[in-house]
Amino acid sequence: MTTYADMWFDPKCPWAWNTSRWLLEVEQVRDVRVRFHVMSLWLLNHGREVDPWYRGWLADTLGPVRVVTAVQQKFGDDVVRDFYTALGERIHRDKTPIGPDLYTAALSDLGLPAELAAAADVPDHDEALRRSHDEGLRPVGEDLGTPTIHVPGPDGTLSAFFGPVVTPVPRGEAAGRLWDGVLLVSTTPGFYELKRGNRPRPTVS
């Protein structure tokens, strides 16, 4: 029986990108289907006191999530998966600057209308963006962010959590074993946190 896992991402977040690539590997070795949804680190941190370097990093994150939301609103949830890949490969692998050229190139990959790139600069889809953002965070808490995953537990109740934060991306059966472990701990009543210090910089692929 197929397990449907829902992941929330911000296109600029390298940790979310690695988690998303891991989940695509999981699909190849486990009976899992992943559905992707947008979340905004800009919205999450708006009005908060954050380090100056991080505020600078957040400065160009609103445009991409607006464009993803515009694509989702016009073409549906299934297109989000491929559009995220088209954006993410450019952002994380090719180091393409975030801006109109990024959006139009990613839209072109999927044969989507180039005019959707203009959504980056207007609030037309912000209400839908906020709904998706809140849906992802509500079960895990507002102090967390991306990547966030929702998955049904053995009894069908929702298990929602931040992470896993992983680098490099596990491949093949290693991805499946990590999935098995994450599923085990995340659906264990009373389990809340497992964490390491000295996190390295993400190796993205």
Side-chain angles (χ1 to χ4, degrees), residues 27-117:
E27 287 187 336
Q28 305 306 308
V29 294
R30 298 291 186 270
D31 193 5
V32 173
R33 177 66 177 174
V34 184
R35 298 175 293 205
F36 291 95
H37 312 271
V38 72
M39 178 185 288
S40 172
L41 292 174
W42 188 93
L43 283 177
L44 180 68
N45 291 282
H46 185 62
R48 293 182 177 180
E49 289 293 329
V50 298
D51 290 339
W53 74 266
Y54 189 52
R55 185 158 303 284
W57 186 91
L58 290 168
D60 60 0
T61 59
L62 185 56
V65 294
R66 281 175 163 173
V67 177
V68 173
T69 306
V71 167
Q72 185 274 330
Q73 290 287 286
K74 189 169 181 64
F75 294 100
D77 292 335
D78 289 345
V79 182
V80 171
R81 162 192 290 250
D82 292 334
F83 188 57
Y84 178 28
T85 293
L87 281 175
E89 287 181 346
R90 288 176 168 83
I91 294 171
H92 302 292
R93 185 191 66 193
D94 302 336
K95 308 304 180 186
T96 302
I98 291 176
D101 290 345
L102 168 69
Y103 311 138
T104 54
L107 290 164
S108 177
D109 280 359
L110 304 183
L112 300 175
E115 57 265 26
L116 288 174

Side-chain angles (χ1 to χ4, degrees), residues 103-140:
Y103 311 138
T104 54
L107 290 164
S108 177
D109 280 359
L110 304 183
L112 300 175
E115 57 265 26
L116 288 174
D121 300 316
V122 294
D124 297 16
H125 301 283
D126 284 3
E127 183 177 345
L129 169 59
R130 171 63 77 175
R131 285 197 303 270
S132 180
H133 177 89
D134 289 346
E135 181 184 3
L137 281 183
R138 192 173 298 114
V140 296

Side-chain angles (χ1 to χ4, degrees), residues 161-176:
F161 51 90
F162 169 80
V165 173
V166 61
T167 188
V169 176
R171 304 292 180 181
E173 184 56 26

